[in-house]
Amino acid sequence: MGRLPLDQIDAFVTAARLRNLTRAAEAMHLTVSALSHRMRLLEERVGHRLLARGPRGVELTPQGQRLFDAVATPLDAIEHALQRLSVRNEHVVTLSLIPSMATAWLVPRLPEFLARHPELGLNLQSSTHVVDFEREPVDVALRLGGGHWPGVQSEFLFEEWLAPVASPDFVKRHGKPALAKLGNLPLLGDPSNRWKDWFAQFGGQAPARYVTQFDDTETLHQAAAQGVGVALARGTLAEPLIRAGRLVALTGKRLNAGFAHYLVYPERSLDHAGFQQVRSWLLEQAKATGK
């Protein structure tokens, strides 16, 4: 049968760990069809199905579990050995963050960073998957959450806040209501159903129904900018629309979102000269954002 190609084994191990072909393909920077092709080749070589579709993604077959137990740890050892031997470019930093955070917060600030550090190269990886620093050549990530992730260093950047916003035309038509009357306006349902927390903290009555319900924050903000209704917006992501005059805050009150933005990195990054410069700049920008 010959030696098994490492690219097929890597595809199998990644899919087995993530239990999802789409996320596994993203982690390997492949299309789903390319990853599936590698899986089919490996299954043809061993003569067994290794993964089977389940209710929540893919699951290991008994033969797949035996193969995974045999190859996953040695494959990790190979990757770690290669990482230790590879020559790191101290003038290139790879940063991972979700696309919405890249568009709304980081990219508008990039010209200032590039002017200050023309000698540095910044590789941005925009993805919704949580980066695995042990397996991916990423130096630092921006994450949203509670600040506790195993095996990595995390530094607080700034809190996330929620506040009602609407388009300027909407405000002309309806005015800026008192907090107690906010529920009388056409409200847009937010992905996390945080309107209930808003009314619990600031008073007023939630409407019997929302004009439209959204499961994506960016689409929610765009709908508010088009005058559809009032959105309970995430401050960081709505900032560009507010600066552009497409959204207006209806009140100075803000609701703490219950999570914050963090700078997350593996311990190995502390020895990276370029990372230290990026880290200092990000902390500086975060301090200005949090004011």
Side-chain angles (χ1 to χ4, degrees), residues 13 39 45 58 60 101 130 140 148 150 156 207 217 232 240:
V13 170
M39 285 298 310
R45 282 177 172 268
V58 293
L60 286 165
M101 188 64 174
V130 177
V140 59
H148 303 290
F156 173 81
T217 301
L232 189 60

Side-chain angles (χ1 to χ4, degrees), residues 185-209:
L185 295 178
L187 302 186
L188 306 178
D190 64 290
S192 302
N193 193 25
R194 297 301 302 275
W195 274 118
K196 59 181 177 57
D197 300 318
W198 172 272
F199 288 111
Q201 181 166 331
F202 296 110
Q205 183 66 41
R209 61 179 291 274

